[in-house]
Amino acid sequence: MAAVAGAVLIEAALMAAAHAHAPYSRFAVGAALLLEDGTIVTGTNIENASYGLSLCAEAVALATANTAGRLADVVAIGVVGGSIGPGGTIAGEAPVRPCGRCRQMLVEAAQMGGRDIMVHCASADGAAVERHMLSALLPHAFGPDDLLA
Ligand code: THU
């Protein structure tokens, strides 16, 4: 069940990555959030000529979930990406793991929902797949729970 959900999330994330706006890094990333009712919310990275304004795929997906009032409903995320090649192909053998900022953003969703989040990371070629709990990717995190203490 968990493995099937992971494969579905990675597939949805890869479809989102096809729409990456990444002309500067030429690195496309897709993210797919699984909500507790089975809804999948996707995002892809969007870069900017003012480089520092670029947004990660995970951040875009989380913002979309939040816009629907669903930030607290995230149970899992799939992340996949790779280099953009000729014709828009996405290639890569290494799994993409959420950057530090995105881990912190995921902690916000996790603590809002009172749960840990499963993170499925995959390479663009599909050969490498990893599964981590968010708490292992960002241990001892600061989050909204700390503001309530
Ligand atoms: N990127 C993501 O979208 N998510 C990550 O977790 C790591 C990096 C994007 C940002 C930038 O557009 C490109 O990948 C290269 O860093």
Side-chain angles (χ1 to χ4, degrees), residues 25 27 29 45 47 56-58 97-99:
S25 71
F27 194 85
V29 182
N45 52 328
E47 298 182 350
C56 288
E58 300 92 321
R97 306 178 187 100
C99 77

Side-chain angles (χ1 to χ4, degrees), residues 62 71-75 103-118 133-135 141 143-145:
L62 284 165
L71 191 59
D73 297 347
V74 178
V75 299
R103 294 178 195 196
Q104 180 67 31
M105 290 186 72
L106 285 163
V107 164
E108 190 79 11
Q111 290 194 8
M112 294 274 298
R115 60 167 73 85
D116 206 351
I117 288 175
M118 176 85 74
M133 295 313 295
L134 178 61
S135 59
D145 289 351

Side-chain angles (χ1 to χ4, degrees), residues 2-21:
V4 172
V8 169
L9 286 180
I10 295 300
E11 182 60 31
L14 199 53
M15 287 176 68
H19 298 294
H21 176 66

Side-chain angles (χ1 to χ4, degrees), residues 20-31 43-48 51 54-59 79-80 96-103:
H21 176 66
Y24 309 110
S25 71
R26 305 290 301 165
F27 194 85
V29 182
T44 189
N45 52 328
I46 175 169
E47 298 182 350
N48 192 279
Y51 294 175
S54 299
L55 296 175
C56 288
E58 300 92 321
V79 183
V80 61
V96 175
R97 306 178 187 100
C99 77
R101 181 175 187 265
C102 290
R103 294 178 195 196

